[in-house]
Amino acid sequence: MLSLLLLTVALSTPLILAAMGGFTSERGGVINIGLEGMMLMAACADALASPKFGPVGGLLIGIFAAVCISLLHWLVTQIYKIDHVISGMALNAIAAGGTNFMHLKFTDEAHKGSVPNFPTWVFYILAFVIPIVLWGYVRQTRGGLRLLAVGSDPDKARLMGVQPMRVRFFGLLATGVLTGIAGVELVAYTGVFTDNMTAGRGYIALAALILGGWRPLPALGACLAFGFFSALQVQLQGTPVFGISIPAEMWAALPYLVTIVALAGFLGKNRTPAGLGRA
Amino acid sequence: MSFAVRMKGITKHFGAVAALNNVDLEVAPGTIHAIVGENGAGKTTLMRVLYGALHPDSGTLEVEGNPVRFTSSREAIEAGVGMVSQHYGIIPAISCLQNLILGAEGGTLLNLKSAAERAQELADHMGFQFDWLKDAETLSPAGAQKLEILKLLWRKARIMILDEPTAMLSPADSAALFESLDRLAAEGATIILVTHRLPEVLDHCSRVTVLRGGVRVDERLVSETNGQQLAELIVGGSVAKHTPREAPIEAPVSLEIKGLTVKGSRGDMALKGIDLKVRHGEMLGIAGVDGSGQRELFHTLVGLIKAAEGSVILNDQDLLAKSPSERIEDGVRIIAEDRHEEAVIEDWSLDENASLGLQRLAPFANGPWVDSAKRHEKAGEIALRFKTKHGGLNLPMASLSGGNQQRFVAARALCLNPKLILAFQPARGLDLKGTQDVYDGIRAACAEGAAAIVVSFDLDELLEQCDRLAAMNGGRLAEPDAAHARDRTAIGRLMVGVG
């Protein structure tokens, strides 16, 4: 039982961090399907840097890499007014190809086995603290209010003297930092970087954010639920159900099936930020 | 004498068109100053210059005796100028209190408790009631208007610009608004009122500036002018007074609604047993405060929502059994309430918008094909009908001003042999002449046998234009008795549900 709980937390952590990164972007009105690419970039940068600069250097460089991608998204969507989804897809493609190349080209053979990193519990704590911090931030601070306002109606916010581009810049900066931490966590958990190691977690985090109605605490809950079903399938794999043995692939599909059903059926009140994707 | 606002020689071009040409405006402190003019006369443009949202090509601006040069609204707000635009600046997804303080939060960390206290003080002072923590989407139009005024006070605006503030309000709410404005002016605030309703100017303002075609035509003391004279100054010619038809219409019934009941979006009943008959050639006006069920009535008639109970017969056919496209084929036409959401696609050209909703009908369709040559021809006719000003039929709808979009939408609804015209505020955003043109257009369709239902929040407009009046309140429809058929007070009472 305890192992199931621990596994749930471990599998949820990168999702929570990425979902919070999605929150600071999408709540300000910037659609962000590039979470996946930002995480992947951070993971690769961390794996390349930490053998040389240690865990702290690795984390900082990982975050820096994700921030670069994230601010590129800001530049493309806000200054050049390119469609948010197209920009996100392009960034994911750049990250997939770029990390593959850098991993092959620059990995230090001497450190191929495992890279030094923070213990994973540091990330677990962050994953539970950050949603609470963000929850307080949007309710209690000027920046948070402006983020909500810009995400709901950038034009009206502008009339009230708020600058949407500026608000979104800081939102995407935070997205970079949070997805950066998420990416580094993946490397800390497995010990190495492997190609496409994010394996769709950025999209699942986005689904959790939508499921949580673009609110930090419900999104945290949605990530935990996904983590729980992932942990459950790991534990149940190979267990026969009513005497029939179910293929491992079927079990592996369980968390995704739950996500689809939840997205389709339990969304309830529409909380989509009305300014999502609007200049 | 020092002025609160002094604008001299303001000129502003949009492309080759001069929206403002050497306009002067002087507003005395502590007064309500009206700015009147037709659509496109430059009223809103002039106000946006004063609010820092537009930069004039030339001209100077003084606020409270100091020369200023605003590069953004933020600077105007700092100088004490505030503006309530025609489409309110309230964000529905956040609370009333958050809306109030947005942009003027007074610190990095919000102190919601003290903000709520100060907000309550302001509201008490003005005699307004607010549930501060509720989402602003729950506000009525009148509530949103009040919140806008509080937003100006919150920002300590001393010069307040209100652009068509009563466009969405009931007579009672408008009267309350002017009571607040009179009080603010008495306390020293300067109020600039952009309006097209002359009674408001005559009853509440001290001076009036008339703009026509981007030029200041005249400025007068209200006490030295009258409605007829102002109307003539506005249009630049004499205005004929319209007289509605007095004799009752004897033609057969075209539309008959019996016991129509419809569920609202929140599970309550939006329509509670509506009974209504409209004859061929008749224009029925429905008065009422916004949200009394007018929207649901129209949406049910065009087929957007399903009726729970009741029947609707249009020209001997069961309307409710038909799909929206069949209803359009039968001649049901709507001039929709929300132009942006329901009537036009702003990125599409005028050509494309001309066929919107009518795309299955000739001449727009030719079998499964779009007949673009005929569509272009028809779009030209539609644009010409109410003199829509446009730069080319291939340009996007978004290139037109709101009033011109409205002209286009109204003309479209009247173009292909309409049988039942549902007009929701058909003259929204139009000037006196445009309003008369649109009503004359509906009248002409009625003369050919169509039935028309007009919803407006402006009772005077309905009294002036319609053959017969009814009032909606809380999902019920009531008609005044024969003796009071055109009695303003009697209908006003029905609007608020007092028989």
Side-chain angles (χ1 to χ4, degrees):
Chain A
M1 195 59 211
L2 188 67
S3 67
L4 183 66
L5 269 182
L6 270 178
L7 194 58
T8 298
V9 171
L11 295 178
S12 306
T13 295
L15 297 177
I16 297 168
L17 292 168
M20 293 308 121
F23 173 78
T24 62
S25 161
E26 297 231 331
R27 199 44 265 198
V30 182
I31 302 172
N32 202 333
I33 63 164
L35 299 175
E36 178 86 1
M38 295 169 198
M39 282 167 83
L40 196 59
M41 209 55 139
C44 180
D46 174 61
L48 292 178
S50 56
K52 281 202 185 67
F53 304 107
V56 178
L59 178 70
L60 290 179
I61 289 171
I63 288 176
F64 176 75
V67 165
C68 286
I69 301 278
S70 161
L71 292 186
L72 190 59
H73 191 50
W74 176 81
L75 186 76
V76 167
T77 58
Q78 300 305 306
I79 305 288
Y80 296 109
K81 313 283 183 206
I82 307 285
D83 184 272
H84 298 194
V85 173
I86 291 175
S87 166
M89 281 167 60
L91 293 178
N92 284 342
I94 291 170
T99 53
N100 185 319
F101 168 75
M102 290 196 298
H103 176 53
L104 280 176
K105 182 86 180 161
F106 300 117
T107 299
D108 187 349
E109 291 297 324
H111 294 278
K112 205 147 190 192
S114 168
V115 294
N117 221 318
F118 290 100
T120 47
W121 59 263
V122 175
F123 297 96
Y124 299 164
I125 290 171
L126 280 178
F128 285 89
V129 171
I130 287 170
I132 295 169
V133 170
L134 284 178
W135 173 76
Y137 178 75
V138 292
R139 290 170 59 97
Q140 296 292 338
T141 70
R142 175 171 63 188
L145 174 59
R146 291 184 172 193
L147 188 72
L148 288 183
V150 167
S152 299
D153 196 323
D155 294 328
K156 287 177 182 171
R158 197 175 286 122
L159 270 184
M160 297 327 299
V162 178
Q163 294 160 282
M165 262 191 211
R166 192 185 143 98
V167 171
R168 287 169 170 177
F169 179 85
F170 289 107
L172 276 166
L173 191 65
T175 302
V177 173
L178 292 167
T179 50
I181 299 174
V184 172
E185 196 274 348
L186 287 178
V187 177
Y189 184 67
T190 54
V192 287
F193 177 83
T194 48
D195 275 337
N196 194 27
M197 73 183 302
T198 45
R201 284 187 182 82
Y203 296 105
I204 293 295
L206 199 58
L209 181 66
I210 294 167
L211 206 53
W214 285 270
R215 291 165 299 169
L217 298 182
L220 166 70
C223 290
L224 284 172
F226 185 87
F228 172 75
F229 282 103
S230 302
L232 197 66
Q233 68 92 2
V234 171
Q235 298 233 320
L236 292 184
Q237 253 180 39
T239 323
V241 177
F242 302 119
I244 307 160
S245 83
I246 294 173
E249 289 81 3
M250 288 281 281
W251 283 113
L254 177 70
Y256 300 95
L257 281 176
V258 172
T259 306
I260 288 175
V261 170
L263 272 178
F266 303 103
L267 217 46
K269 183 186 168 194
N270 180 15
R271 295 176 191 276
T272 314
L276 206 55
R278 271 173 54 190
Chain B
M1 176 178 179
S2 75
F3 292 102
V5 172
R6 188 168 194 186
M7 302 174 86
K8 269 194 101 61
I10 301 288
T11 298
K12 174 74 189 172
H13 285 83
F14 291 114
V17 187
L20 293 173
N21 193 354
N22 202 20
V23 174
D24 295 344
L25 175 70
E26 284 167 349
V27 183
T31 61
I32 305 184
H33 188 114
I35 297 185
V36 296
E38 302 204 275
N39 278 97
K43 301 173 304 234
T44 302
T45 309
L46 185 66
M47 291 302 102
R48 287 174 66 83
V49 168
L50 177 56
Y51 187 53
L54 283 175
H55 316 301
D57 302 333
S58 62
T60 59
L61 186 56
E62 279 177 31
V63 172
E64 292 170 337
N66 308 311
V68 288
R69 235 189 141 74
F70 298 138
T71 57
S72 71
S73 298
R74 168 181 288 271
E75 291 174 22
I77 293 168
E78 277 165 15
V81 180
M83 177 162 172
V84 179
S85 62
Q86 215 169 341
H87 306 283
Y88 305 145
I90 304 276
I91 298 174
I94 61 179
S95 73
C96 295
L97 185 63
Q98 286 174 318
N99 264 299
L100 181 76
I101 67 177
L102 178 65
E105 299 88 347
T108 318
L109 282 177
L110 303 181
N111 190 339
L112 290 175
K113 202 159 161 255
S114 78
E117 278 167 17
R118 225 189 104 204
Q120 192 55 44
E121 267 172 39
L122 286 177
D124 288 343
H125 178 67
M126 295 301 299
F128 297 162
Q129 285 287 335
F130 275 102
D131 193 342
W132 289 108
L133 299 180
K134 263 202 173 158
D135 280 355
E137 68 184 351
T138 59
L139 288 175
S140 66
Q145 180 70 258
K146 286 172 184 163
L147 184 55
E148 287 284 7
I149 290 174
L150 290 186
K151 274 166 76 177
L152 296 183
L153 295 177
W154 179 267
R155 283 160 184 74
K156 301 197 165 63
R158 297 178 299 279
I159 296 156
M160 306 182 181
I161 307 164
L162 289 97
D163 194 355
E164 304 275 4
T166 55
M168 301 289 292
L169 302 187
S170 71
D173 286 329
S174 304
L177 172 71
F178 277 106
E179 219 170 90
S180 319
L181 295 183
D182 287 338
R183 177 188 305 186
L184 287 170
E187 287 166 4
T190 305
I191 293 160
I192 304 177
L193 180 73
V194 176
T195 184
H196 67 273
R197 293 187 178 171
L198 294 182
E200 292 175 356
V201 178
L202 298 171
D203 294 347
H204 300 281
C205 302
S206 54
R207 280 187 88 86
V208 52
T209 298
V210 183
L211 296 180
R212 190 196 321 140
V215 177
R216 194 194 75 169
V217 184
D218 207 341
E219 183 174 315
R220 287 174 186 239
L221 278 172
V222 169
S223 54
E224 291 171 3
T225 185
N226 58 50
Q228 186 68 20
Q229 193 180 36
L230 279 178
E232 281 168 17
L233 282 172
I234 289 170
V235 297
S238 65
V239 188
K241 193 89 178 143
H242 180 83
T243 42
R245 176 167 14 195
E246 286 300 328
I249 293 171
E250 300 295 347
V253 171
S254 169
L255 175 79
E256 180 163 16
I257 303 176
K258 271 191 194 157
L260 186 66
T261 299
V262 169
K263 276 204 185 96
S265 53
R266 297 194 192 97
D268 49 344
M269 284 295 162
L271 297 180
K272 299 166 186 161
I274 301 274
D275 294 307
L276 180 68
K277 280 183 191 168
V278 188
R279 294 173 187 278
H280 286 285
E282 191 175 33
M283 197 197 297
L284 172 87
I286 296 184
V289 184
D290 190 18
S292 300
Q294 303 98 324
R295 185 168 309 132
E296 287 80 1
L297 176 63
F298 274 21
H299 281 177
T300 313
L301 291 177
V302 296
L304 285 179
I305 36 182
K306 271 199 171 144
E309 276 172 54
S311 70
V312 179
I313 307 294
L314 176 67
N315 301 334
D316 302 323
Q317 301 202 40
D318 181 3
L319 195 68
L320 296 182
K322 301 195 173 193
S323 70
S325 66
E326 289 168 329
R327 296 182 200 200
I328 290 171
E329 275 172 42
D330 286 355
V332 178
R333 301 282 183 274
I334 186 165
I335 301 173
E337 171 193 18
D338 190 331
R339 204 164 46 223
H340 301 285
E341 293 291 324
E342 296 177 346
V344 300
I345 297 178
E346 290 215 304
D347 294 342
W348 283 16
S349 68
L350 270 66
D351 266 350
E352 289 164 323
N353 271 291
S355 67
L356 212 57
L358 308 173
Q359 67 276 16
R360 288 185 195 80
L361 308 181
F364 296 118
N366 180 11
W369 313 108
V370 174
D371 190 334
S372 19
K374 287 214 178 111
R375 186 179 68 183
H376 183 70
E377 195 180 304
K378 201 75 195 167
E381 281 173 35
I382 291 172
L384 211 58
R385 176 91 193 252
F386 297 134
K387 303 184 190 73
T388 304
K389 282 182 200 149
H390 62 88
L393 295 170
N394 55 343
L395 292 183
M397 191 49 112
S399 65
L400 267 58
S401 72
N404 279 316
Q405 290 188 1
Q406 185 69 23
R407 286 167 210 265
F408 192 84
V409 166
R412 183 182 65 195
L414 301 174
C415 79
L416 289 183
N417 198 15
K419 295 280 181 245
L420 172 64
I421 301 160
L422 304 170
F424 205 116
Q425 300 236 74
R428 184 169 178 187
L430 295 185
D431 49 64
L432 294 168
K433 191 157 181 322
T435 303
Q436 197 52 54
D437 284 351
V438 168
Y439 276 103
D440 286 347
I442 299 175
R443 173 70 65 202
C446 288
E448 287 173 15
I453 303 180
V454 181
V455 164
S456 175
F457 306 131
D458 187 340
L459 181 53
D460 294 315
E461 185 180 300
L462 293 176
L463 279 168
E464 201 179 317
Q465 306 287 353
C466 296
D467 299 319
R468 186 158 66 93
L469 262 76
M472 277 193 99
N473 174 258
R476 289 179 215 280
L477 187 80
E479 292 185 45
D481 54 46
H484 298 98
R486 307 199 77 83
D487 184 325
R488 200 175 186 281
T489 333
I491 298 166
R493 275 207 302 274
L494 292 177
M495 283 168 66
V496 290
V498 187

